[in-house]
Amino acid sequence: MKLVLFGAPGVGKGTQAKLLSEELKIPAISTGELLRAKIERASKASSAEDSDIELIKSYVDAGKLVPDMLIGEVLKSRVDMSDCKNGYILDGFPRSLSQAKLLEQLNIVVDKVVEILVSEQTIVERLECRRVCENCGETYNTEFKMPQKSGICDCCGGRLIRRSDDSPDTILQRLKVYRTQTKPLVAYYSDQKKYFSVSGDDGGGADQVKRNILKVIGESI
Ligand code: AMP
């Protein structure tokens, strides 16, 4: 199974990718996390990991899409790893028509594509309150998913921070990118009969959203 999860920033793709990964026993691959890890590694190393890091960071901080050539390399080296041989969940890739075509050039045929839908107003509220562990990436929310100890990750004890691209201006920019560059994927994958959508905000919580995704993709639990 090669499953694509997409949706605007803050709809809960990362949370769902992790839950589905446990359920379906295939890895979840977040291109955003891969990029943040790459930037973090470079900031800790005395010399830059590669010359593209500054460029990648400038796109991420501005809430814009990292150029296809750079993100394509990051994705390719991850899906070539041995844990991906039985399939994987792509969280945040493709994010444009050109990236959907890039997948095809890489001979990656996705089986199903699920969009998680949440209103823009809810997204803005969620992202303003989002905190992430700088160590393991676990996500929290100052309103409805607080850690047991303030500012500390329950999973690994890492420090909770606000993502640099969760600032109000960058949130609006990322929503615009989603509307203009990512939304055309709906028609693209609908034509291929691979597109499904679920509400990410129906009041049932993350587990209910997960069950709804499994239902639309035809996986029973
Ligand atoms: P995310 O963690 O999915 O919200 O992604 C954070 C940021 O990483 C995005 O705003 C982009 O700058 C970059 N990014 C993640 N995935 C992609 C992608 N498929 N193509 C281009 N840029 C990406």
Side-chain angles (χ1 to χ4, degrees):
M1 161 75 81
K2 293 193 184 89
L3 175 68
V4 168
L5 278 188
F6 84 104
V11 296
K13 294 187 296 291
T15 302
Q16 290 305 320
K18 280 186 193 133
L19 293 173
L20 291 165
S21 163
E22 285 161 17
E23 197 72 49
L24 300 172
K25 315 243 175 316
I26 49 177
I29 300 175
S30 155
T31 43
E33 264 176 33
L34 291 174
L35 292 173
R36 282 187 291 280
K38 212 169 156 60
I39 294 168
E40 176 71 10
R41 272 198 309 274
S43 78
K44 284 185 178 151
S46 48
S47 62
E49 185 182 350
D50 65 53
S51 57
D52 297 323
I53 288 293
E54 284 307 316
L55 188 63
I56 291 175
K57 188 171 177 341
S58 68
Y59 280 96
V60 172
D61 285 345
K64 295 185 175 164
L65 294 187
V66 171
D68 288 354
M69 206 187 72
L70 297 176
I71 192 81
E73 280 171 20
V74 170
L75 180 79
K76 173 87 173 67
S77 51
R78 179 64 187 89
V79 297
D80 281 347
M81 289 182 180
S82 58
D83 63 333
C84 292
K85 64 180 187 306
N86 294 327
Y88 41 83
I89 300 162
L90 292 179
D91 158 11
F93 195 100
R95 260 175 151 102
S96 63
L97 286 177
S98 63
Q99 290 186 1
K101 288 175 186 154
L102 185 63
L103 277 183
E104 284 153 28
Q105 283 159 22
L106 293 170
N107 286 324
I108 297 175
V109 179
V110 299
D111 298 296
K112 289 179 182 166
V113 175
V114 179
E115 182 181 25
I116 305 175
L117 299 166
V118 172
S119 76
E120 285 204 2
Q121 192 190 336
T122 304
I123 286 171
V124 172
E125 286 164 11
R126 278 189 191 180
L127 291 181
E128 301 238 319
C129 300
R130 177 160 79 177
R131 299 294 180 271
V132 293
C133 173
E134 65 176 353
N135 184 40
C136 72
E138 183 68 15
T139 307
Y140 296 84
N141 184 290
T142 56
E143 294 294 317
F144 58 79
K145 191 188 168 199
M146 317 250 276
Q148 284 169 6
K149 205 169 156 196
S150 173
I152 305 292
C153 177
D154 293 342
C155 305
C156 74
R159 199 166 60 106
L160 302 187
I161 55 162
R162 186 168 182 168
R163 263 172 55 174
S164 60
D165 58 348
D166 277 348
S167 64
D169 284 352
T170 315
I171 292 172
L172 293 182
Q173 168 62 30
R174 287 159 65 209
L175 284 170
K176 186 172 154 204
V177 166
Y178 178 72
R179 267 185 251 118
T180 56
Q181 293 180 257
T182 311
K183 262 294 187 187
L185 291 175
V186 174
Y188 186 77
Y189 284 117
S190 295
D191 285 349
Q192 298 183 17
K193 311 229 174 322
K194 291 180 177 175
Y195 172 81
F196 304 85
S197 67
V198 294
S199 166
D201 189 26
D202 66 357
D207 273 324
Q208 185 58 49
V209 177
K210 177 191 79 173
R211 282 193 288 276
N212 292 344
I213 294 176
L214 290 169
K215 201 167 157 193
V216 296
I217 64 171
E219 292 282 331
S220 52
I221 48 171

